[in-house]
């Protein structure tokens, strides 16, 4: 069955700490990978995406993610988090050319000022 | 571009009442998705449309839920009769026709059923 697994449900960090959020997927065929962010009280918005090419993709606000095909992983990273990064982060997968996106359960990040 | 538009933004109703949520996708997008988000179950895909046709409604929880997309610029999600366990935030999202593309989410409708 198609699935997306996010390893951490809650993460608490201090400002300037480094961040890595894990994401593994189970999906047949070629995939498109996404990270979405949901700030408190707001809707989901795209953080970054991978369709093809360089497996290291850079998104907004200093975030990046690396697609490792052999590990079926797409982990999100940021070298130094800020208080404003407090949000919920969702990993998502779509099969290339398909329409249905599978979302992970989300990871709630809280950054202490 | 105005983005995905949802209405109402908040809805409070009593158990047993009919609730209708509305969505206007981004112009030019021909895929539309309805999601439900709760603390307990996270983000759940309820149904999605492509070119106004329902493609997969396996996420619709039960017959009390129905969705329509009469044209490319409008969709509704109806709950009849509503129950307290339907309380959630309902998001609509749209994406372009090529498939596998980024989904653009609306601001959501926060539903409370008393």
């Amino acid at each position: 069955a198609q699935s997306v697994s996010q390893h951490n449900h809650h993460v608490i960090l201090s400002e300037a700490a480094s961040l890595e959020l894990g994401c593994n997927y189970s999906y047949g065929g070629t995939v498109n990978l996404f990270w979405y962010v949901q700030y408190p009280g707001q809707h989901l918005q795209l953080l970054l995406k991978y369709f093809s090419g360089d497996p290291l993709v850079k998104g907004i606000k200093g975030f990046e993610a690396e697609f490792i095909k052999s590990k079926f992983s797409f982990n999100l990273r940021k070298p130094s988090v800020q208080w404003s990064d407090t949000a919920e982060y969702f990993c998502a997968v779509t099969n290339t050319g398909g329409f249905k996106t599978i979302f992970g359960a989300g990871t709630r990040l809280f950054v202490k000022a | 571009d105005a983005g995905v538009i949802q209405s109402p933004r908040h809805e409070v109703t009593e158990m047993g009442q009919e609730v209708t949520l509305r969505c206007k996708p981004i112009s030019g997008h021909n895929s539309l998705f309805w999601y439900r988000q709760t603390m307990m179950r996270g983000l759940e895909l309820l149904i999605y449309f492509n070119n106004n046709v329902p493609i997969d409604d396996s996420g619709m929880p039960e017959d009390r839920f129905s969705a329509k997309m009469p044209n490319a610029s409008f969709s509704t999600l109806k709950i009849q009769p509503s129950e307290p366990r339907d309380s959630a935030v309902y998001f609509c999202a749209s994406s372009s026709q090529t498939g596998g593309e980024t989904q653009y989410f609306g601001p959501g409708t926060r539903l409370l059923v008393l």
Side-chain angles (χ1 to χ4, degrees), chain B residues 13-99:
Chain B
T13 190
E14 293 185 338
M15 182 174 62
Q17 295 298 305
E18 177 179 297
V19 174
T20 300
L21 311 180
R22 296 173 177 80
C23 175
K24 176 178 168 56
I26 291 173
S27 178
H29 285 185
N30 70 343
S31 293
L32 183 141
F33 307 80
W34 282 102
Y35 292 90
R36 177 173 69 178
Q37 186 179 38
T38 62
M39 286 292 292
M40 292 297 295
R41 293 186 298 270
L43 192 66
E44 303 172 278
L45 176 65
L46 301 177
I47 185 171
Y48 70 96
F49 296 83
N50 182 244
N51 291 324
N52 312 338
V53 177
I55 302 300
D56 185 348
D57 65 354
S58 59
M60 296 285 262
E62 49 198 275
D63 292 345
R64 298 184 297 107
F65 286 69
S66 63
K68 294 182 180 179
M69 192 165 186
N71 57 61
S73 59
F74 184 66
S75 176
T76 59
L77 177 68
K78 185 176 294 186
I79 308 172
Q80 167 62 17
S82 59
E83 296 182 3
R85 59 194 168 117
D86 301 330
S87 298
V89 181
Y90 290 82
F91 288 105
C92 176
S94 70
S95 68
S96 67
Q97 68 179 30
T98 57

